[in-house]
Amino acid sequence: VHESRSVTTSQGRGRLLIRILLQRGLLDVPVKFMQTHADYAAKFYEPSYSALGNEIFVQIFCSLVSEVCRLPFQLNLDNAEFLDETWQMPVFKQLEFVPCFKLGASLDLMDGHVVVMDLDPAGVAAEDNRIELGDILVTMYGKALRGSSSKIASLRNAHEGQPVPLGVQKARLEDGDVYPPLKTLLMKFRADQLISFLNIDNKNLNSIATNGSSRSFFEANPNCRLLFVGQCDIGSDGSVRMINRSILQVLMKRRPGEQLIPVHMELGEIGVTVWEVEPKTGELISQDQPLFRHSYPQIASCGRRTDGTNFLAYIVGQEACTICTSFRCLVFEAVNQSESRSLINEIAHGFDRTHWTL
């Protein structure tokens, strides 16, 4: 316990000790020791108030502890970084990444915790959302990282060309809520952008994009069915797996109060054209200058958020996606899920229409 870098206080060490004893079925060892060493026990417990000072109570207590020792515990002892503050445990995952030059994660040290502050959407770490913003890197190659983010570089150099094993405390609990001690940590260090991101969940994703204004906008302008939210560069990977993270990236970069653009998406025989429209009437502002025009061969992928929101996007290159090496993602918000689903289906079917037209 004293060698652990995950805990720094007496309370944290005590909690870690209890977890170790539970894992090994040895919780009764310190109790029996204090029974036979009354002077030692008196340093920590007042005999008149403690069960250890009552002959009957101590027998009951020892019997209970012995039963607990028979229970099989499956505790991850690496999951200990917040035992200084709480018994509540975050979700902990053991991950392994392919050998790579860079993981594609920007890190910051907060009270010794190595926090993921930013991710390269095309990087290894962000692949399949295995690591997400706000996650905490706990171990790498089996070594604790707390207190020294610089240790990562030396570990990577020592294991160059090898797979990268990581122990990660997730920012969110199983129910989707942000882990409370992490919230406190981020507020302490005023990590405003990360706080805004972590306030996103499946129930309130809309709020980060529009601060709740999109719903009222659609209600006030029934002739407008679609809003352009923004776009971002995503590098050389134009696959559909980039849709989720690219939408989040666009939403995170939006400034409070920034206006969304009412648009109409025209799905033609050979491509997609996006026109800016008057919100009240739904009429095109310009008949000659579309906001975007892309042929279907330029579109590498399209999709919606997997959490069932109204956000949709398509990924496009400057040239045919089969030879393009640089892509960007255009993000939209539809008036409802049905509209969002319909638009994505039509874009996907556009490839078939292109085939027959040509």
Side-chain angles (χ1 to χ4, degrees), residues 21-323:
L21 294 173
L22 286 171
Q23 177 73 5
R24 299 178 181 177
L26 299 174
L27 188 61
D28 58 341
V29 171
V31 178
K32 291 177 179 178
F33 179 84
M34 285 186 285
Q35 269 189 286
T36 56
H37 296 77
D39 292 342
Y40 181 80
K43 296 179 181 180
F44 306 98
Y45 299 98
E46 174 60 45
S48 59
Y49 292 102
S50 171
L52 295 174
N54 185 293
E55 186 175 342
I56 297 176
F57 289 166
V58 75
Q59 293 301 321
I60 296 173
F61 181 64
C62 287
S63 176
L64 177 62
V65 171
S66 296
E67 289 300 317
V68 172
C69 289
R70 294 189 178 95
L71 299 175
F73 285 86
Q74 300 296 325
L75 305 177
N76 192 318
L77 300 179
D78 288 333
N79 190 7
E81 286 212 1
F82 285 96
L83 286 176
D84 289 331
E85 292 89 7
T86 179
W87 271 112
Q88 184 181 16
M89 306 304 295
V91 175
F92 189 91
K93 292 189 176 182
Q94 294 284 359
L95 305 174
E96 184 170 284
F97 296 91
V98 297
C100 56
F101 179 68
K102 285 186 177 181
L103 285 173
S106 175
L107 310 173
D108 199 358
L109 205 62
M110 299 184 184
D111 276 352
H113 303 288
V114 181
V115 183
V116 178
M117 301 297 293
D118 197 9
L119 288 168
D120 178 358
V124 174
E127 186 174 342
D128 298 327
N129 295 324
R130 298 172 75 192
I131 290 182
E132 300 171 290
L133 297 183
D135 288 353
I136 293 176
L137 305 190
V138 178
T139 64
M140 177 180 282
Y141 299 105
K143 302 295 184 181
L145 299 178
R146 185 170 186 184
S148 178
S149 58
S150 60
K151 190 175 183 179
I152 294 176
S154 59
L155 286 171
R156 293 299 312 279
N157 291 335
H159 297 83
E160 186 176 358
Q162 299 179 21
V164 185
L166 286 175
V168 180
Q169 286 183 337
K170 302 299 292 180
R172 297 188 185 279
L173 301 172
E174 293 288 0
D175 61 5
D177 289 340
V178 178
Y179 181 52
L182 178 61
K183 278 186 179 180
T184 303
L185 182 69
L186 296 178
M187 291 176 67
K188 176 181 177 181
F189 283 84
R190 299 181 179 179
D192 294 336
Q193 185 176 5
L194 201 52
I195 290 171
S196 297
F197 172 77
L198 289 174
N199 282 336
I200 304 172
D201 57 26
N202 293 349
K203 299 176 182 177
N204 64 8
L205 183 61
N206 290 337
S207 65
I208 191 66
T210 61
N211 294 322
S213 63
S214 62
R215 184 181 299 276
S216 58
F217 177 88
F218 284 125
E219 291 174 352
N221 301 280
N223 291 316
C224 180
R225 311 289 292 175
L226 187 68
L227 295 170
F228 174 63
V229 179
Q231 59 183 308
C232 65
D233 294 323
I234 59 173
S236 59
D237 187 356
S239 65
V240 71
R241 69 178 182 176
M242 301 297 292
I243 293 291
N244 259 331
R245 67 187 70 171
S246 298
I247 291 176
L248 283 179
Q249 183 177 340
V250 168
L251 298 184
M252 282 184 59
K253 290 183 177 179
R254 287 193 57 78
R255 295 185 296 273
E258 185 176 351
Q259 294 298 311
L260 303 180
I261 302 175
V263 295
H264 167 68
M265 186 179 290
E266 180 183 334
L267 302 170
E269 292 296 325
I270 60 174
V272 176
T273 306
V274 179
W275 302 90
E276 188 173 355
V277 300
E278 288 286 353
K280 292 295 184 184
T281 64
E283 296 180 356
L284 304 186
I285 290 179
S286 170
Q287 299 283 345
D288 304 317
Q289 296 293 327
L291 203 58
F292 305 106
R293 176 175 280 141
H294 301 113
S295 66
Y296 289 120
Q298 288 180 275
I299 299 176
S301 59
C302 61
R304 301 190 304 144
R305 282 285 304 175
T306 55
D307 47 25
T309 67
N310 304 338
F311 292 100
L312 64 143
Y314 67 84
I315 293 174
V316 65
Q318 291 294 329
E319 49 195 347
C321 61
T322 53
I323 60 174

